[in-house]
Amino acid sequence: MVLESAIAEEIITNNLKQFLLVLSVSLSMATLPQIFSWFRHIPYTLLLVIVGLGLAFADVRLVTLSPELILFIFLPPLLFEAAWNLKWSELKRDLVPICLYAVFGVVIAIAGVAIVLNQLAGIPLTTALLIAASLAATDPVSVTALFRELGVNSRLVTLMEGESLFNDGMAVVAFGFLVALSLGTVELEFQPILVKLFSVVGIGVGVGGFIGFSISYFTQRFDLPLVEQSLTLVSAYSTYLITEDLGGSGVIGVVTTGLILGNFGSRIGMSPRTRIIISEFWEFLAFFVNSIVFLLIGDQISFASLGENLQIIMVTVAAMIVMRAIAIYILSKLSISITKSEISLPEQTILWWGGLRGSVSIALALSVLTTMPEREKIIATVFGVVLFTLLVQGLTIKPLLEKLNLLGDAPLREQYLELVARHVALERVLQHLQADQRPGIDPDRRYQETLIKGELADLRTKIDKLQDEYPNLQIFITEQLRGELLAIEADTYAEFVKSGRLNKELASMLEDVLPNHQKEA
């Protein structure tokens, strides 16, 4: 017993040391762009992959990635954070194209890539299907982070993130079905496939909805930021585990919970201060997890294995890019004909080229049974394709955005916000100075007032000049004002609900408020 305890302590100590080493390397990379300006051209997550590749080349293995580590530890918080920040109003507007990409796009990708691998590379159909299913899930974390930094329009971000959130679930379901098919435990018939799909998705939506709405109403009864923050963390992991145990899609479950808490629960059951605290917590957690995942992806690469399977990797990359193009352009055209909502050709091109693969693909490949004779080939191929999408597509997305004139006005907005923040701050300083009636400070007060009023005049001149030179800035200013007014209105309703002066039908009330504001816009 004593020996077992000592061994357990040694294992825990070694794991902790490895974890701290990974974390130290990851966080060190975060400081590089601040020290060397050249690194600012590379998205942080891609920089981590490059560093991980350097470690792999030097044969320094930090931690061994496993499907359990990715799917049960890393995936839930990443899914929850993305869903928490995804606005339902924007998601609802583009639900048709997102569902088309996430469902039929996955089918096209799996079927197309599998056929190409089977016919051109001579890979057995079972193995080809597993490779294709592993690569069906997109993971555009680096791309969407870059979009926000560059101020790319929010609709493009919603389309890409929405597709990623839902096609993760579809890819995991498809992969599980194909594994069961290869083991002979299911039959390849239309009705069983359809029943399985609806049950897996239905259980995910049901469990996620139950947990999301339960926590939403529960948090109305108190205002304890740390408790509510902890509840969101527990909900992310518990939803995933419970849904998986019940035979549903944990991915769909977590996405559903995150959407409900982010768009409904945070409004009716959380104060503005609590919402800010929780949003900042999840921003930190997503940064923390991504820092580890992308470093380890690079660190797990086996260059010898990549070399042995280079031809298959090249065929898979070509097939995946072609199938992605077919899916995006055809399904976008179908979406436009259904919804009459235009998705421009440049936007479709970015959706095509920005469909990177990442942690979910690697987790699925690693989860292939060790008894399968082609397991190493599957893993090597998936790692090679993921590496290509991250480095080649990830590093060329910014030049492509520039070429297609899709870069936003983020620097201009940032400049405007800085000027406004400075103006508001000085206004408050001036009000405080004028209200201060302490004896003996009149001469100095008049001097300070003169200085502050001079600075305020300069700031007003700069703001006016900015608005005159860039008329489109007025749209941003108007949107920001309407958003602030809507938030104040929603918070007021939430206060009435908490005090018992209003019934709990707040969701419908907010749904009425939002369209009115959008009509005014």
Side-chain angles (χ1 to χ4, degrees):
M1 186 66 181
V2 175
L3 181 60
E4 290 178 357
S5 178
I7 293 173
E9 288 180 9
E10 183 66 23
I11 292 172
I12 292 172
T13 302
N14 288 335
N15 288 341
L16 183 59
K17 288 178 180 177
Q18 285 182 316
F19 173 74
L20 291 174
L21 178 60
V22 171
L23 195 57
S24 299
V25 174
S26 300
L27 297 181
S28 297
M29 293 305 103
T31 63
L32 280 181
Q34 306 304 318
I35 300 172
F36 304 103
S37 59
W38 184 83
F39 285 106
R40 293 172 190 168
H41 300 289
I42 305 175
Y44 170 60
T45 48
L46 299 188
L47 184 61
L48 287 169
V49 174
I50 295 169
V51 172
L53 282 172
L55 293 173
F57 184 77
D59 201 26
V60 177
R61 305 296 176 178
L62 298 172
V63 176
T64 302
L65 270 180
S66 67
E68 292 80 12
L69 185 66
I70 295 175
L71 292 175
F72 293 101
I73 304 299
F74 292 156
L75 193 57
L78 293 177
L79 292 170
F80 187 93
E81 188 269 342
W84 169 274
N85 289 310
L86 198 59
K87 294 179 181 177
W88 171 246
S89 58
E90 296 179 358
L91 180 65
K92 184 169 60 174
R93 180 190 62 195
D94 289 312
L95 199 57
V96 170
I98 286 171
C99 288
L100 287 174
Y101 298 149
V103 178
F104 295 103
V106 167
V107 174
I108 292 170
I110 293 175
V113 172
I115 291 170
V116 170
L117 286 175
N118 178 250
Q119 296 298 312
L120 297 185
I123 295 176
L125 188 58
T126 303
T127 303
L129 283 168
L130 290 177
I131 291 173
S134 298
L135 293 169
T138 57
D139 185 17
V141 172
S142 307
V143 173
T144 51
L146 187 65
F147 281 3
R148 290 195 181 94
E149 181 184 332
L150 298 175
V152 175
N153 75 77
S154 61
R155 190 190 183 199
L156 194 53
V157 177
T158 301
L159 285 169
M160 189 159 281
E161 274 197 332
E163 180 204 358
S164 174
L165 285 173
F166 291 113
N167 76 7
D168 281 356
M170 291 300 301
V172 171
V173 171
F175 183 85
F177 177 82
L178 291 172
V179 169
L181 183 66
S182 66
L183 296 174
T185 57
V186 296
E187 297 179 3
L188 188 58
E189 295 179 4
F190 180 74
Q191 187 174 353
I193 293 175
L194 203 60
V195 170
K196 177 70 173 176
L197 177 63
F198 276 104
S199 65
V200 167
V201 173
I203 292 171
V205 172
V207 173
F210 176 77
I211 292 176
F213 282 116
S214 297
I215 292 177
S216 297
Y217 286 113
F218 181 61
T219 53
Q220 285 187 72
R221 305 186 179 280
F222 53 82
D223 184 22
L224 299 169
L226 295 181
V227 172
E228 294 173 73
Q229 174 181 292
S230 302
L231 279 173
T232 60
L233 181 62
V234 171
S235 71
Y237 282 104
S238 61
T239 301
Y240 190 91
L241 295 173
I242 292 170
T243 306
E244 289 289 324
D245 287 343
L246 292 176
S249 169
V251 173
I252 298 294
V254 174
V255 169
T256 303
T257 302
L259 281 171
I260 291 170
L261 288 175
N263 291 274
F264 177 74
S266 65
R267 290 296 177 190
I268 72 162
M270 298 179 186
S271 66
R273 174 172 170 266
T274 300
R275 286 202 302 273
I276 292 171
I277 290 172
I278 293 177
S279 295
E280 289 179 345
F281 166 75
W282 280 104
E283 183 182 356
F284 155 74
L285 196 60
F287 167 79
F288 185 80
V289 172
N290 276 320
S291 298
I292 297 171
V293 170
F294 282 90
L295 178 68
L296 293 182
I297 286 175
D299 188 48
Q300 302 301 300
I301 296 295
S302 170
F303 290 99
S305 183
L306 290 183
E308 292 170 5
N309 297 278
L310 187 59
Q311 184 177 356
I312 298 172
I313 292 170
M314 291 172 66
V315 172
T316 308
V317 166
M320 184 195 67
I321 290 175
V322 172
M323 290 304 120
R324 175 76 178 171
I326 292 172
I328 291 296
Y329 290 117
I330 291 178
L331 294 175
S332 294
K333 191 171 182 179
L334 179 59
S335 170
I336 293 168
S337 66
I338 295 172
T339 63
K340 310 302 180 186
S341 178
E342 185 68 24
I343 302 174
S344 68
L345 194 60
E347 288 176 330
Q348 293 177 38
T349 302
I350 293 299
L351 289 170
W352 159 59
W353 193 248
L356 278 60
R357 271 58 173 182
S359 55
V360 175
S361 296
I362 287 174
L364 293 177
L366 291 173
S367 67
V368 173
L369 298 175
T370 55
T371 54
M372 286 198 67
E374 301 284 319
R375 183 176 187 270
E376 293 305 316
K377 182 175 291 185
I378 293 172
I379 293 174
T381 303
V382 171
F383 264 96
V385 174
V386 168
L387 196 61
F388 174 88
T389 65
L390 290 175
L391 295 183
V392 177
Q393 292 178 248
L395 291 174
T396 55
I397 196 74
K398 184 177 178 181
L400 186 59
L401 284 167
E402 293 173 346
K403 185 74 174 176
L404 297 173
N405 295 319
L406 288 175
L407 284 183
D409 53 1
L412 180 64
R413 294 184 179 191
E414 186 66 29
Q415 184 183 355
Y416 168 78
L417 290 174
E418 286 178 4
L419 291 172
V420 170
R422 177 71 176 156
H423 190 279
V424 171
L426 287 176
E427 284 279 10
R428 291 180 181 177
V429 170
L430 184 61
Q431 289 173 8
H432 173 79
L433 194 61
Q434 291 172 341
D436 192 342
Q437 298 299 321
R438 283 179 294 173
I441 65 168
D442 284 346
D444 190 52
R445 179 167 53 204
R446 284 194 295 271
Y447 174 70
Q448 293 294 339
E449 280 185 20
T450 303
L451 289 178
I452 293 171
K453 287 177 180 177
E455 286 190 55
L456 285 170
D458 289 341
L459 286 170
R460 288 193 197 98
T461 302
K462 290 178 182 178
I463 291 172
D464 291 341
K465 184 180 178 183
L466 209 58
Q467 290 178 267
D468 290 339
E469 291 179 357
Y470 304 98
N472 289 339
L473 191 61
Q474 189 59 46
I475 299 173
F476 168 67
I477 297 169
T478 304
E479 288 175 354
Q480 191 180 43
L481 176 61
R482 288 200 174 106
E484 291 171 1
L485 296 176
L486 179 59
I488 293 170
E489 186 175 355
D491 291 340
T492 304
Y493 293 142
E495 289 174 13
F496 272 73
V497 169
K498 284 190 175 184
S499 64
R501 289 180 285 170
L502 191 67
N503 63 29
K504 295 180 181 177
E505 299 300 322
L506 183 60
S508 58
M509 186 178 295
L510 291 181
E511 287 178 2
D512 292 336
V513 169
L514 187 58
N516 290 335
H517 281 263
Q518 289 175 334
K519 285 176 187 175
E520 291 170 11

